[in-house]
Amino acid sequence: MQSSIGSLRAQLQHSTAVLDGFGGDVQILKKESSQLTKSVNTLAREHLKQCKRLHIDRPVVDAQSRKLDELRICSQLIHSHADNLKGCLDAVVNRSYKPDLQRSEQGKPTKILVQCEQEAGTFETHIRLAENLVATVLPPEQAGWSYRPFLGEHRNARSLMDAFQATKGLSPDTMNVGTQLNCELSVVKLNAAAMRLRDQIEAPHVRQRVARPPFYP
């Protein structure tokens, strides 16, 4: 029994450290994806306004607008997954792991997570959510593995960087330089945060507990 209690305490300590470490980058992903969506919306309005002023043919305008739509879909997908993961982390780390860990360290029985298997399942669930979030930002060749099959209707969506690069081909006469720079800054921050989160997930001590997803590109 004592060995079981000690194992649960060790798992709680490890899980708390890992999941608590995700928080900063998840918050950046949520914040910057929201900012990117706002910038893309502004860019789209300015683009349509300038196209109308320059009397650009409608088929050309529609084709260019679709590129901005793809970037917007990417930013909204990132925000949705980041917001979900942040809410889950807040709940599990602050309301579950930390209180139980404190009770365990005081020699008291845990209240929420009472078995190693239960804790392991909770930990794996949140690692999978983090993998899912990374897959909304990074293409498989950067992530090193693919979790895109679990992105539902968006599993075949372009990567964030690919979608952003496509907008660079739009006519400079119809694009606001300042807004474009804001988009680029958000994309850079999103990629950096996703790569840091990926590196935390790929740490050997995490992969010893939760194997990589079974689907590869």
Side-chain angles (χ1 to χ4, degrees):
M1 179 67 177
Q2 189 63 38
S3 175
S4 176
I5 293 173
S7 297
L8 179 56
R9 182 185 301 119
Q11 278 189 203
L12 283 170
Q13 289 171 333
H14 178 261
S15 298
T16 300
V18 171
L19 297 183
D20 215 15
F22 288 177
D25 287 319
V26 172
Q27 178 61 32
I28 290 172
L29 287 160
K30 179 181 176 181
K31 176 183 176 182
E32 291 301 326
S33 59
S34 177
Q35 183 58 51
L36 179 57
T37 298
K38 292 177 183 177
S39 295
V40 172
N41 287 338
T42 299
L43 208 58
R45 287 194 301 269
E46 294 169 345
H47 174 65
L48 289 174
K49 182 179 178 180
Q50 292 303 317
C51 285
K52 184 176 181 180
R53 182 180 66 84
L54 296 171
H55 304 290
I56 297 176
D57 292 340
R58 190 69 197 184
V60 175
V61 175
D62 290 344
Q64 294 177 340
S65 295
R66 279 194 292 271
K67 294 180 180 180
L68 292 171
D69 287 340
E70 286 185 339
L71 182 56
R72 183 188 297 108
I73 288 171
C74 286
S75 65
Q76 291 174 336
L77 186 62
I78 294 166
H79 185 271
S80 175
H81 283 272
D83 185 51
N84 178 56
L85 180 55
K86 184 179 184 302
C88 292
L89 288 175
D90 287 343
V92 76
V93 173
N94 296 322
R95 301 175 207 161
S96 176
Y97 280 95
K98 288 183 177 179
D100 264 355
L101 182 58
Q102 185 176 25
R103 290 181 63 83
S104 178
E105 290 175 342
Q106 292 172 349
K108 300 176 182 178
T110 55
K111 282 188 174 181
I112 303 168
L113 298 167
V114 295
Q115 295 179 333
C116 289
E117 293 81 2
Q118 180 190 10
E119 192 287 319
T122 300
F123 181 71
E124 180 177 358
T125 294
H126 288 80
I127 294 299
R128 296 306 186 206
L129 289 173
E131 290 168 343
N132 214 359
L133 175 56
V134 170
T136 66
V137 183
L138 301 179
E141 61 268 21
Q142 285 189 342
W145 38 263
S146 176
Y147 211 65
R148 297 189 76 82
F150 297 95
L151 295 180
E153 63 180 296
H154 299 295
R155 63 183 176 273
N156 294 318
R158 304 179 76 173
S159 71
L160 175 67
M161 185 56 74
D162 285 344
F164 174 67
Q165 290 294 338
T167 66
K168 288 191 171 184
L170 300 181
S171 171
D173 294 330
T174 66
M175 305 292 282
N176 182 282
V177 175
T179 309
Q180 278 186 303
L181 289 175
N182 288 337
C183 287
E184 185 164 10
L185 181 60
S186 290
V187 169
V188 169
K189 290 180 179 179
L190 286 165
N191 272 279
M195 285 191 285
R196 288 193 299 268
L197 185 57
R198 173 205 61 191
D199 291 345
Q200 291 181 74
I201 295 168
E202 290 297 322
H205 61 88
V206 175
R207 283 303 180 203
Q208 285 174 1
R209 294 183 61 187
V210 182
R212 291 178 179 179
F215 295 93
Y216 291 84

